[in-house]
């Protein structure tokens, strides 16, 4: 929602002989009228003295995505080694007694909650990073953020440096360190989007090599577990992993409301934004920090589920057709992608269960190549 701006619209007045126009209330002349500026496709909502602009298509898309996500949640809880009727799933979710409470509430629901929260976090993180970079190729997994979180987590797992409950915090530290490194190398009298992506890809490759080094130097059994985690997997995930992710998402809600408004200023160049009273460098830094924290915590909970942060914002923006990438629709799309991918990963090659990251990578990698070709054809190459 966007605060409604108002402008004064003074109508032309015509006078007759002997009649004066004063502009006061009840005068013979035409009064000054206030006209609400309403862009096409928006609806005005008023709450007291405050007025807001709501993009109608974005509301419809978000509602449809929420409905699809609800269907995917029920389907994920129904399907497994044993099928559970949708009515019993609803009974368990509503807290009523059910003979399938163990299967649905204890075995399947915790894993699903982690997938929902991680997908939403990846979707919002991708939207924020792409907004700052002004490049659809930029996402936390492409520019090295998730690789930094993964390298730090694998190092902690391989050398048993911290307890399992502290791994999400280690992931945040690694993701922030990788983001600072990319930002420092990409900054050259400003932030060029193409250079930002290229530097991020280079840092990702370096961090991937570092991760492999940690795997070879650590304990063999722990290294095998870390390899599965590196593909992005929800197997064995539960409320212990969901709790810190839920707390971060809850704390990020007020910041996300600011980000939804602040991201509009990133569409302007620095001179224009400064002239309008904005501080573009601080805004970009705040948006980037929020995206990095969300992507890092999601990586710590579910592993680096590749390409969700790349796909979700682009799908959401194409569906809503808004000027800025919608954060709510990106979160819903990310959650939907992870839940559906996890359902397919569990049942597509049953009884073999694939990590969810295998499915997202199978879809995301061709999409990334298509984006690269499309970007090169538009710009005639990538400049540094």
């Amino acid at each position: 929602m966007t605060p409604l701006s108002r402008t004064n619209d003074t109508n032309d007045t015509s006078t007759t002989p002997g009649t004066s126009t004063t502009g006061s209330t009840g005068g013979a002349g035409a009064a000054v009228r206030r006209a609400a500026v309403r862009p096409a496709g928006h609806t005005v909502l008023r709450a007291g003295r405050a007025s807001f602009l709501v993009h109608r298509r974005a509301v419809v898309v978000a509602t449809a995505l929420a409905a699809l996500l609800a269907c995917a949640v029920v389907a994920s809880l129904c399907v497994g080694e044993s099928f559970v009727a949708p009515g019993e799933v609803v009974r368990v979710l509503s807290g009523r007694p059910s003979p399938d409470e163990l299967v649905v509430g204890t075995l399947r629901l915790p894993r699903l909650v982690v997938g929902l929260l991680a997908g939403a976090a990846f979707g919002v993180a991708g939207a924020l990073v792409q907004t700052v970079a002004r490049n659809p190729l930029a996402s936390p997994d492409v520019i090295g953020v998730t690789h930094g979180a993964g390298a730090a987590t694998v190092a902690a797992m391989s050398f048993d440096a911290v307890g399992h409950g502290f791994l999400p915090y280690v992931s945040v530290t690694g993701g922030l360190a990788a983001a600072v490194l990319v930002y420092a190398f990409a900054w050259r009298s400003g932030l060029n989007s193409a250079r930002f992506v290229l530097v991020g890809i280079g840092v990702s490759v370096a961090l991937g090599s570092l991760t492999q080094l940690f795997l070879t130097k650590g304990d063999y059994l722990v290294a095998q577990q870390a390899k599965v985690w590196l593909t992005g997997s929800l197997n064995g995930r539960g409320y212990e992993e969901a709790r810190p992710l839920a707390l971060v998402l809850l704390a990020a809600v007020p910041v996300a409301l600011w980000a939804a408004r602040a991201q509009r200023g990133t569409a302007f160049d620095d001179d224009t934004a400064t002239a309008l009273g904005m501080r573009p460098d601080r805004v970009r830094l705040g948006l980037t920090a929020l995206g990095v924290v969300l992507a890092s915590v999601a990586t710590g909970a579910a592993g680096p589920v590749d390409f969700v942060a790349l796909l979700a914002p682009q799908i959401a923006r194409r569906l809503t057709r808004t000027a800025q990438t919608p954060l709510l629709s990106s979160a819903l799309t990310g959650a939907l992608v992870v839940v559906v991918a996890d359902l397919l990963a569990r049942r597509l090659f049953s009884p073999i269960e694939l990590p969810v990251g295998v499915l997202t990578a199978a879809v995301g990698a061709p999409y990334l190549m298509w984006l690269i070709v499309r970007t090169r054809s538009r710009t005639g190459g990538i400049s540094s």
Side-chain angles (χ1 to χ4, degrees), residues 32-131:
V32 177
R33 297 178 180 176
R34 294 180 179 272
V37 179
R38 184 186 304 179
H42 289 71
T43 298
V44 179
L45 294 181
R46 292 181 174 85
R49 295 184 178 181
S51 299
F52 302 92
L53 285 176
V54 177
H55 195 278
R56 291 194 296 270
R57 185 180 178 89
V59 173
V60 173
V61 169
T63 304
L65 288 172
L68 288 175
L69 182 59
C71 295
V73 165
V74 174
S76 181
L77 294 175
C78 288
V79 178
E81 294 296 331
S82 61
F83 180 80
V84 178
E88 294 300 321
V89 169
V90 175
R91 287 177 64 89
V92 174
L93 293 178
S94 60
R96 291 180 290 175
S98 171
D100 298 300
E101 186 172 357
L102 174 64
V103 175
V104 176
T106 304
L107 300 180
R108 296 178 184 174
L109 185 59
R111 171 185 182 137
L112 176 66
V113 171
V114 175
L116 284 170
L117 296 177
F122 278 127
V124 176
L128 294 174
V129 173
Q130 289 177 8
T131 297

Side-chain angles (χ1 to χ4, degrees), residues 18 26 44 49 93 144 146 149 156 167 183 219 222 232 237 240 268 270 272 300 312 314 324 329:
V44 179
R49 295 184 178 181
L93 293 178
T146 55
L167 289 180
Y183 209 90
D219 181 76
V222 176
R237 300 298 188 270
E240 184 180 356
F268 302 108
D270 289 355
T272 303
Q314 293 299 308
Q324 288 82 33
S329 294

Side-chain angles (χ1 to χ4, degrees), residues 116-363:
L116 284 170
L117 296 177
F122 278 127
V124 176
L128 294 174
V129 173
Q130 289 177 8
T131 297
V132 171
R134 302 179 189 176
N135 194 325
L137 295 174
S139 70
D141 43 6
V142 174
I143 65 171
V145 173
T146 55
H147 288 82
T153 305
V154 169
M157 293 173 62
S158 299
F159 299 104
D160 197 20
V162 297
H164 186 73
F166 287 93
L167 289 180
Y169 305 102
V170 175
S171 297
V172 173
T173 303
L176 286 173
V180 170
L181 191 63
V182 173
Y183 209 90
F185 279 105
W187 182 269
R188 189 184 304 169
S189 300
L191 189 65
N192 180 273
S193 61
R195 185 167 61 246
F196 184 70
V197 173
L198 290 175
V199 171
I201 293 174
V203 171
S204 298
V205 174
L207 291 172
S209 301
L210 188 62
T211 302
Q212 295 301 317
L213 177 63
F214 292 148
L215 290 174
T216 57
K217 295 296 182 180
D219 181 76
Y220 175 76
L221 294 178
V222 176
Q224 293 302 313
Q225 296 175 357
K227 285 182 179 179
V228 176
W229 179 86
L230 281 171
T231 60
S233 176
L234 299 179
N235 186 29
R237 300 298 188 270
Y239 293 128
E240 184 180 356
E241 290 79 15
R243 191 175 297 109
L245 182 53
L247 292 175
V248 171
L249 284 172
L250 185 62
V253 168
V255 186
L257 294 176
W258 164 82
R261 181 180 179 87
Q263 69 176 169
R264 295 196 301 270
T266 60
F268 302 108
D269 59 84
D270 289 355
D271 293 336
T272 303
T274 303
L276 292 174
M278 303 176 185
R279 297 181 178 179
D281 291 337
R282 294 187 180 184
V283 169
R284 293 193 189 103
L285 182 61
L287 295 178
T288 303
L290 177 59
V292 168
V293 169
L294 290 176
S296 301
V297 176
T299 301
V305 185
D306 289 332
F307 298 111
V308 175
L310 176 71
L311 289 169
Q314 293 299 308
I315 295 173
R317 187 168 184 177
R318 280 167 170 75
L319 289 175
T320 58
R321 299 177 186 173
T322 53
Q324 288 82 33
T325 305
L327 298 185
L328 177 59
S329 294
S330 297
L332 292 171
T333 304
L336 180 62
V337 168
V338 172
V339 171
V340 172
D342 182 54
L343 175 60
L344 294 177
R346 287 191 288 118
R347 304 309 303 166
L348 204 58
F349 299 98
S350 180
I352 300 174
E353 181 177 318
L354 297 176
V356 63
V358 173
L359 269 296
T360 58
V363 176

